[in-house]
Amino acid sequence: MPFLLLGLNLAWTQVFAASPVWRVETGDGHLYIGGTVHLLRAADYPLPAAFDRAYADAQIVVFETSVSDNLTPDQQQAMLQATRLPGDQTIDEVLAAGTLKELDNHIEQNGLTPEAFNRLRPGMIALTLTLIELRHLGVTQIGVDQHYIQRSS
């Protein structure tokens, strides 16, 4: 029973391999492993043909992570809590004054208010600003995983 496993997040795939999809065989069975990126630009399509060949041959498709928007309220609350600083702590208590000033300037240059980031953990701030910059470069939230999830729906 062949199946396709997407989402190993191997951004370096094309540097080290001739194809972003590998076929692994054992006995009578085989599976495909695809090195994917979760965020792509429209210019990154069409995807390499190896993905479509593996997808067409697969009976089961398994993804590295759920990219579904169907989170329960408890899951949404847990995710929100994980992005926030503990207690009443604010970002100005975590970052050095010079770093905070540069952060505030960068946030304002992107048309946002620093107050919106005041209670977020530094990692969440970095992720949010990275996604904003990627959006400026034309990157969308439709990566390889989401592309095949939509195809299989």
Side-chain angles (χ1 to χ4, degrees):
M1 172 181 354
F3 68 96
L4 175 65
L5 179 64
L6 288 176
L8 292 182
N9 234 5
L10 303 175
W12 46 264
T13 303
Q14 295 202 359
V15 174
F16 292 101
S19 171
V21 178
W22 297 271
R23 181 181 165 122
V24 180
E25 298 180 11
T26 180
D28 294 339
H30 65 275
L31 63 89
Y32 298 95
I33 300 174
T36 67
V37 179
H38 297 301
L39 305 170
L40 294 173
R41 303 164 299 155
D44 295 321
Y45 290 92
L47 295 171
F51 283 113
D52 284 333
R53 285 192 301 269
Y55 183 80
D57 190 40
Q59 293 174 344
I60 299 171
V61 180
V62 178
F63 297 96
E64 167 195 17
T65 185
S66 171
V67 290
S68 170
D69 293 331
N70 299 325
L71 296 176
T72 67
D74 286 344
Q75 291 170 323
Q76 291 174 358
Q77 183 63 30
M79 285 182 62
L80 179 62
Q81 228 18 62
T83 67
R84 298 177 64 79
L85 289 166
D88 293 331
Q89 191 175 33
T90 57
I91 196 65
D92 60 324
E93 298 173 61
V94 177
L95 298 180
T99 303
L100 183 64
K101 182 176 171 72
E102 287 186 39
L103 174 63
D104 287 349
N105 288 338
H106 186 79
I107 289 170
E108 288 171 353
Q109 288 171 0
N110 279 284
L112 303 168
T113 60
E115 292 77 24
F117 293 81
N118 197 34
R119 299 263 302 119
L120 295 178
R121 292 179 183 269
M124 187 61 191
I125 294 172
L127 178 61
T128 301
L129 295 176
T130 298
L131 291 173
I132 289 169
E133 294 301 323
L134 288 171
R135 209 171 289 134
H136 291 161
L137 295 172
V139 173
T140 70
Q141 293 187 357
I142 306 296
V144 177
D145 294 29
Q146 191 66 36
H147 173 77
Y148 285 100
I149 287 172
Q150 289 175 351
R151 273 187 69 179
S152 63
S153 297

